[in-house]
Amino acid sequence: MIAIQTEGLTKRYANGRGCSDVSITIKEGEAFGFLGPNGAGKSTCVKMLVGLIFPTEGRASLLGEPIGSLAARQFVGYLPELYRYQEWLSGEEVVRLHAKLCGIPREVANVRIPALLEKVGIGLRSSDRVRNYSKGMQQRLGLACALVGDPKILFLDEPSSAMDPIGRSEVRQLLHELKGEGKTIFLNSHLMEDVESLCDRVALLNNGEIMQQGTVSEVLQQRPRWRLRIGGFTSSLFPWIQEESGLNMSIIEISPDGLAVIEAELEEEEQAGWLHALLIEQGMTLYESARAKTRLEEWFVTELSGKSHRGEKV
């Protein structure tokens, strides 16, 4: 079943910002990464999908229900990027308030909330006032609030931006667990490691428009690149190797003792074996050879390089 579908979704502001003609389809149970620089319009899209603002044009649905409708909102858990909770309440009281707003029966909430607070990592501090929480703890609290209604679709806008590396790792593991439970996750994040680890598909937004979208493997698709660590290498040999092999190659690292790391772009992976033989014939020692993995962050920077972007969020 289709969990999230948008067709020409557009929001125009007087200052020319917002987003335009956003069309995406996300299946139930998928994790979807929504990427883009600051000011791209990502948060505007999320706010339309959860029903906080209304589109200028286009349409969208959540599990077949039109966005903004009561039926659609019942499917949603939402952690906004800019979160504020009642600082005079305890963490547990904040989650109980959200449970009441979701219409969750007290007997269900009494079981669910303590388990949820433990799950997000603030169980031992659940009775402390929110004013005493760090930003990272408040973000964990926001996750608990987003999950208390047991939503089918989870919208997360920079869910671990305020956390330290341990906290980000714990949230990443939690999101994997939620995905394993069949929840649909819409992740807006600048942490490419999290997106690459979790998401099935991604879209890249710039200046309000989608530049690319597809599976992670599709957007990273390129000619195979091979990384080799070799000994006995000299820079003077490199032009000859490039000419003889006919391959696009680059030197990644080189040390005075002749230890080097080079990369070669291949048309077919079988060319790697031929390149190995060529290097060995020249008296070099092949220590390591493997396909170079393209990281999502590298793709993100490459796609946006030289392009203008608005720089401030709407």
Side-chain angles (χ1 to χ4, degrees):
M1 184 174 183
I2 302 300
I4 305 170
Q5 186 159 35
T6 74
E7 298 176 15
L9 197 63
T10 299
K11 181 65 176 180
R12 295 194 182 93
Y13 292 102
N15 61 10
R17 296 178 179 175
C19 57
S20 177
D21 196 27
V22 173
S23 298
I24 55 176
T25 300
I26 303 169
K27 295 179 182 178
E28 195 170 5
E30 275 191 330
F32 186 84
F34 204 46
L35 312 177
N38 289 342
K42 305 185 301 298
S43 293
T44 296
C45 287
V46 172
K47 289 175 183 176
M48 283 192 286
L49 291 173
V50 299
L52 291 178
I53 59 177
F54 296 98
T56 306
E57 295 176 10
R59 58 183 180 178
S61 61
L62 305 180
L63 292 170
E65 300 291 343
I67 56 171
S69 66
L70 182 60
R73 292 181 183 185
Q74 289 176 338
F75 299 134
V76 169
Y78 175 44
L79 173 61
E81 180 185 14
L82 301 176
Y83 48 87
R84 288 184 65 90
Y85 303 104
Q86 296 84 353
E87 62 177 20
W88 59 90
L89 296 179
S90 70
E92 181 176 352
E93 288 170 339
V94 169
V95 182
R96 285 193 178 276
L97 172 61
H98 281 76
K100 289 180 180 179
L101 293 172
C102 291
I104 298 171
R106 178 174 300 199
E107 58 273 17
V108 175
N110 288 340
V111 174
R112 183 179 296 172
I113 291 174
L116 196 52
L117 290 168
E118 288 290 337
K119 197 169 188 176
V120 300
I122 56 173
L124 296 176
R125 299 283 305 276
S126 61
S127 60
D128 291 1
R129 301 299 171 191
V130 172
R131 67 170 62 94
N132 298 318
Y133 282 10
S134 66
K135 289 183 179 179
M137 288 186 63
Q138 290 188 44
Q139 208 157 31
R140 290 174 185 264
L141 177 63
L143 273 172
C145 292
L147 291 168
V148 72
D150 192 23
K152 293 184 178 181
I153 305 175
L154 196 57
F155 289 93
L156 304 175
D157 200 345
E158 300 289 354
S160 57
S161 58
M163 296 183 190
D164 59 25
I166 294 175
R168 289 198 295 270
S169 177
E170 291 173 349
V171 168
R172 191 183 308 129
Q173 179 60 38
L174 173 59
L175 296 183
H176 277 282
E177 292 174 8
L178 294 169
K179 181 182 176 184
E181 294 170 7
K183 295 192 184 301
T184 303
I185 300 174
F186 190 103
L187 178 62
N188 175 8
S189 178
H190 286 121
L191 299 173
M192 297 296 150
E193 182 180 355
D194 294 350
V195 175
E196 190 169 351
S197 167
L198 176 73
C199 293
D200 305 290
R201 298 173 59 248
V202 296
L204 178 60
L205 195 74
N206 188 41
N207 292 333
E209 298 182 355
I210 290 181
M211 293 176 57
Q212 280 199 50
Q213 65 174 308
T215 65
V216 173
S217 59
E218 285 171 349
V219 300
L220 296 182
Q221 187 175 16
Q222 59 177 23
R223 287 183 174 182
R225 285 190 302 145
W226 224 258
R227 179 167 290 202
L228 304 97
R229 190 165 66 91
I230 53 181
F233 180 84
T234 61
S235 298
S236 59
L237 271 174
F238 190 63
W240 179 87
I241 295 170
Q242 283 187 297
E243 184 177 352
E244 188 70 14
S245 66
L247 299 174
N248 182 18
M249 302 175 66
S250 57
I251 301 173
I252 307 302
E253 298 175 16
I254 186 170
S255 62
D257 60 2
L259 185 64
V261 176
I262 64 174
E263 278 194 4
E265 185 179 279
L266 312 180
E267 293 183 2
E268 297 177 356
E269 292 190 0
E270 288 76 8
Q271 289 177 308
W274 175 66
L275 180 59
H276 296 165
L278 181 64
L279 296 172
I280 293 170
E281 284 176 5
Q282 299 306 308
M284 290 177 247
T285 303
L286 182 63
Y287 291 112
E288 186 178 355
S289 175
R291 181 166 181 159
K293 185 178 181 182
T294 301
R295 309 298 298 184
L296 197 62
E297 185 168 351
E298 180 183 341
W299 167 79
F300 181 93
V301 172
T302 300
E303 290 299 315
L304 293 172
S305 179
K307 295 181 174 64
S308 63
H309 54 86
R310 297 183 296 216
E312 295 294 335
K313 289 190 175 181
V314 174

